[in-house]
Amino acid sequence: MTDQITTMEGAIRAAEQTLEHIFNPNLEQDKRIPIDLLHEAKGLAFLTVIKIGLIWTGKVGTGVVISKLPDRRWSAPSAIGTAGMGFGAEMGAQLIEFMIILNSDLAVKSFMQKGQLSAGANLEFAAGPYGRAAGANANFSASGIAPNYTYSHSKGLFGGVGLQGSGIVARADINKKFYGRDITPTEILTGAVDQPAAASQLYDALQRIVSIPPSGNVQNLKQKLMSPFTDRMPAAAVGPDVQLVYDRVLHLIEGISGRTGVDEFKTSCKDYGQNRCTDNQFVDYLSSKFTAEQTLELVPEIVKLLQDADKRKYVWEYYLNVKAQSRSAKHAATSPSLF
């Protein structure tokens, strides 16, 4: 059990076991996780968490995250960890296996950033759906961001377990030991390193699972059910979440336009917050610096930082307009032409 939370090799083996447990073909149909979710996933995160204690409980866990590369291959694994304290009438030890299905590129990028990834502030998690009625049972977050589905396995029991409030960090020490050098999660998750032989069984397990053709039902239902939620304006961040969201936005912008872009964003936000520029001027800044795709990633996070209700509404309307135009452009590009 110890090597599962102290080494990359142990975390990889634990991830493979989690897959085998959660996608057990002997489960009844209504208790199975829809294979379609793996076909549509942008990434997967696995955590093996050990809870120990009497009244006061402690939990510590290590795992890996992998991303789906543009050529549909899975990336090399990047080590992650979590730890925390709790209170409850529990005695003894419990091992819980978690799998998180990352449903967006933005979610994957969250695991590339520095510092702690906070469930609920940086990422929205929801209990994942099961069985043939997966679409009807799908859970969506109230903040308006498409959730990332969580599943767990403990003592033979399955459940869609929420991770709200949990802190997840990159394990640089484990990555360095495994890859033999200082290496960032960004390098690992963007395909800068090859799939390691030590993870071959994990990739084989994934291949066996996704070899089942997708039905298309889950994706269609996701699109149908998500549209009213993804158009809902996210709530403003409060307390320590403000700094977490702010750091996340700066990280995304630095990846797009470097430190110069970060400095420009800081200045523009300060001017907008202190009414030194108008709504139109701030939106003009966004439209001149970011593509439609980048805007759709950034604006939901920026809106969380705005405390003024009118400013939030104005910027969100801009987001919805960009989203509508993007949909129209995609539809026009895929529509057949007679000429």
Side-chain angles (χ1 to χ4, degrees):
M1 182 183 293
T2 303
D3 77 325
Q4 290 182 358
I5 61 172
T6 58
T7 69
M8 179 74 86
E9 291 84 354
I12 291 171
R13 286 195 299 273
E16 181 201 349
Q17 291 170 8
T18 300
L19 274 176
E20 299 289 356
H21 289 151
I22 290 180
F23 287 96
N24 185 342
N26 295 322
L27 289 173
E28 296 177 14
Q29 183 67 38
D30 288 338
K31 294 182 180 179
R32 294 182 187 178
I33 298 173
I35 300 298
D36 300 56
L37 294 178
L38 280 193
H39 283 276
E40 299 295 332
K42 300 295 184 179
L44 297 171
F46 300 91
L47 278 168
T48 300
V49 176
I50 300 173
K51 293 176 64 178
I52 303 174
L54 171 61
I55 302 180
W56 285 100
T57 60
K59 63 179 181 180
V60 61
T62 293
V64 294
V65 58
I66 56 176
S67 69
K68 190 176 290 179
L69 301 173
D71 62 3
R72 306 292 291 177
R73 290 183 304 115
W74 293 102
S75 74
S78 180
I80 54 176
T82 186
M85 296 293 294
F87 180 84
E90 296 185 32
M91 182 173 67
Q94 183 182 19
L95 187 145
I96 307 173
E97 300 168 340
F98 288 96
M99 181 183 73
I100 309 169
I101 297 179
L102 305 176
N103 286 324
S104 69
D105 293 326
L106 190 61
V108 174
K109 288 180 181 178
S110 296
F111 285 87
M112 301 180 191
Q113 69 183 28
K114 297 178 181 178
Q116 178 170 287
L117 174 66
S118 177
N122 302 79
L123 272 184
E124 296 291 336
F125 291 146
Y130 288 89
R132 287 167 291 198
N137 295 331
N139 293 283
F140 297 92
S141 67
S143 70
I145 306 300
N148 302 285
Y149 294 135
T150 65
Y151 294 92
S152 69
H153 173 254
S154 177
K155 296 180 180 178
L157 300 177
F158 295 84
V161 176
L163 291 172
Q164 298 302 102
S166 299
I168 301 173
V169 296
R171 291 293 304 270
D173 55 332
I174 292 179
N175 282 337
K176 181 178 181 179
K177 183 177 180 180
F178 183 74
Y179 291 104
R181 64 179 178 89
D182 287 322
I183 187 169
T184 66
T186 299
E187 290 179 85
I188 298 170
L189 297 176
T190 56
V193 294
D194 294 331
Q195 292 180 342
S200 60
Q201 289 185 308
L202 173 61
Y203 300 127
D204 289 345
L206 280 167
Q207 183 57 40
R208 287 196 302 273
I209 294 168
V210 300
S211 63
I212 302 172
S215 67
N217 293 334
V218 171
Q219 175 62 8
N220 292 337
L221 284 166
K222 278 172 63 179
Q223 291 176 344
K224 180 179 178 181
L225 292 173
M226 278 186 184
S227 56
F229 286 85
T230 53
D231 286 347
R232 184 184 298 170
M233 184 169 62
V238 295
D241 286 351
V242 174
Q243 187 63 49
L244 290 170
V245 176
Y246 184 64
D247 290 344
R248 172 178 168 75
V249 170
L250 296 187
H251 175 77
L252 291 172
I253 292 175
E254 185 174 11
I256 294 169
S257 50
R259 291 303 309 173
T260 300
V262 170
D263 292 339
E264 289 178 349
F265 175 77
K266 288 180 177 179
T267 300
S268 297
C269 277
K270 185 176 181 180
D271 289 345
Y272 190 42
Q274 297 180 359
N275 296 318
R276 290 202 293 261
C277 74
T278 65
D279 293 329
N280 281 333
Q281 288 173 329
F282 185 68
V283 164
D284 286 344
Y285 154 74
L286 293 175
S287 64
S288 67
K289 297 296 180 180
F290 306 109
T291 66
E293 183 179 359
Q294 292 164 351
T295 297
L296 296 180
E297 278 192 318
L298 282 169
V299 169
E301 303 301 312
I302 293 172
V303 166
K304 293 180 184 179
L305 297 173
L306 297 174
Q307 301 302 312
D308 183 276
D310 291 334
K311 286 183 169 64
R312 285 164 45 75
K313 183 177 179 181
Y314 192 91
V315 175
W316 190 247
E317 287 295 330
Y318 165 67
Y319 165 84
L320 294 178
N321 288 335
V322 172
K323 185 176 181 180
Q325 292 170 8
S326 180
R327 283 176 176 168
S328 297
K330 288 180 180 179
H331 178 73
T334 56
S335 297
S337 173
L338 297 176
F339 303 97

